[in-house]
Amino acid sequence: LGSLQVQAAETIRFGTEATYPPFEFLDENNELTGFDIDLAKAICTEIKAECTFNNQPFDSLIPSLRYRRFDAVIAGMDITPARQKQVDFSMPYFENSASFVAAKTKPFKSADDLKGKAVGVQNGSTFQTYMIDKFEKQGVTIRPYETIQNAFLDMTNGRVDAVFSDTAVANDWLLERGEGDYGHLGETIRDAEYFGVGYGIAVRQNDPLKERIDNALTTLKKNGTWQAIHDKYFPE
Ligand code: GLN
């Protein structure tokens, strides 16, 4: 008795939405990869757990977390006061801002010119809420998409005039698919009430997992792992 104890490794199940490069996406071999995925794996290594990932629509991630379908969400998710009523967040792990993208040929100079135009957003995102609150009354049509990639695609097809999303994701799209024909419309926007103070990993309220994730993040920032993951997905 007590001589041999075989302990199964703990598993931390993450929920994500894998069409959000460079944070989470499927590579050419259909493997889940990205900044968030590498970071989650590094956190799991740090706390000596196994990681698994569930891929599902962005607007279902918080409800599924609350229903215990998984234990944490890493999905380029802004730490906002509204979400903090439903879940707890780790410390911020990535600085965020919001950007409009539009064709360079469009006669828009700034977001004020979007009156009467249609703007694509990710369904369930902070961008959707911001657009509804700040632009809908001014006659801007807000089109929610299941994935931001489809919003960008519809912009290239002329079905929406602009896309409003995370600056880092917009930049990735501009670089990979924009072919020089699209660019930022106006300045990037930082508004803590809507977009919080960076991305966080969501866990259920009062789950002690939060503290373990925070401790791991502190270590990964100190020991250079966070920076190495950053430089892999944001080279230069
Ligand atoms: N950063 C945005 C949010 O938190 C969008 C995230 C996403 O679409 N994956 O709502």
Side-chain angles (χ1 to χ4, degrees):
L1 260 172
S3 60
L4 186 67
Q5 285 196 332
V6 180
Q7 221 183 348
E10 176 193 6
T11 300
I12 299 176
R13 301 164 304 163
F14 281 88
T16 194
E17 193 283 306
T19 63
Y20 215 60
F23 296 100
E24 38 269 332
F25 57 100
L26 300 175
D27 69 12
E28 56 280 3
N29 303 315
N30 236 18
E31 301 277 359
L32 184 60
T33 187
F35 178 96
D36 283 354
I37 306 308
D38 284 10
L39 187 66
K41 287 178 178 169
I43 288 168
C44 288
T45 303
E46 199 52 44
I47 62 185
K48 299 183 175 57
E50 309 268 338
C51 259
T52 62
F53 294 92
N54 272 284
N55 178 19
Q56 57 180 61
F58 184 76
D59 69 333
S60 73
L61 291 172
I62 287 181
S64 289
L65 173 65
R66 288 163 58 100
Y67 279 119
R68 300 180 174 268
R69 188 175 153 83
F70 30 74
D71 309 301
V73 169
I74 190 159
M77 186 175 274
D78 307 346
I79 304 170
T80 66
R83 288 177 180 151
Q84 281 170 317
K85 291 185 182 140
Q86 298 195 297
V87 293
D88 287 349
F89 282 96
S90 69
M91 64 173 70
Y93 68 84
F94 193 89
E95 231 180 81
N96 63 332
S97 68
S99 287
F100 287 97
V101 168
K104 289 176 180 170
T105 51
K106 296 268 182 184
F108 317 144
K109 288 279 167 289
S110 76
D112 299 333
D113 303 332
L114 290 170
K115 206 174 186 149
K117 305 284 185 280
V119 176
V121 292
Q122 161 85 59
N123 192 37
S125 70
T126 50
F127 309 109
Q128 183 181 25
T129 310
Y130 184 89
M131 287 305 294
I132 291 170
D133 284 5
K134 307 258 184 195
F135 283 84
E136 200 162 49
K137 283 184 230 67
Q138 300 175 34
V140 178
T141 303
I142 296 128
R143 294 236 167 88
Y145 287 86
E146 183 99 336
T147 76
I148 198 64
Q149 301 307 319
N150 283 342
F152 284 123
L153 193 64
D154 259 13
M155 181 173 66
T156 65
N157 293 332
R159 291 200 193 93
V160 292
D161 300 287
V163 170
F164 187 48
S165 73
D166 271 297
T167 301
V169 172
N171 286 344
D172 185 273
W173 186 84
L174 287 170
L175 206 67
E176 299 292 328
R177 312 241 184 273
E179 294 178 348
D181 298 335
Y182 296 84
H184 286 269
L185 179 65
E187 302 288 309
T188 61
I189 300 170
R190 285 169 207 271
D191 184 334
E193 191 192 333
Y194 285 91
F195 309 120
V197 288
Y199 295 162
I201 297 168
V203 296
R204 281 181 293 276
Q205 284 178 328
N206 303 314
D207 190 332
L209 180 58
K210 171 190 154 52
E211 200 190 327
R212 296 164 69 209
I213 290 176
D214 280 345
N215 290 340
L217 278 171
T218 302
T219 303
L220 297 171
K221 281 183 185 171
K222 268 198 208 132
N223 71 13
T225 305
W226 184 94
Q227 193 62 46
I229 296 170
H230 177 272
D231 295 351
K232 176 174 166 192
Y233 292 100
F234 299 92
E236 100 210 34

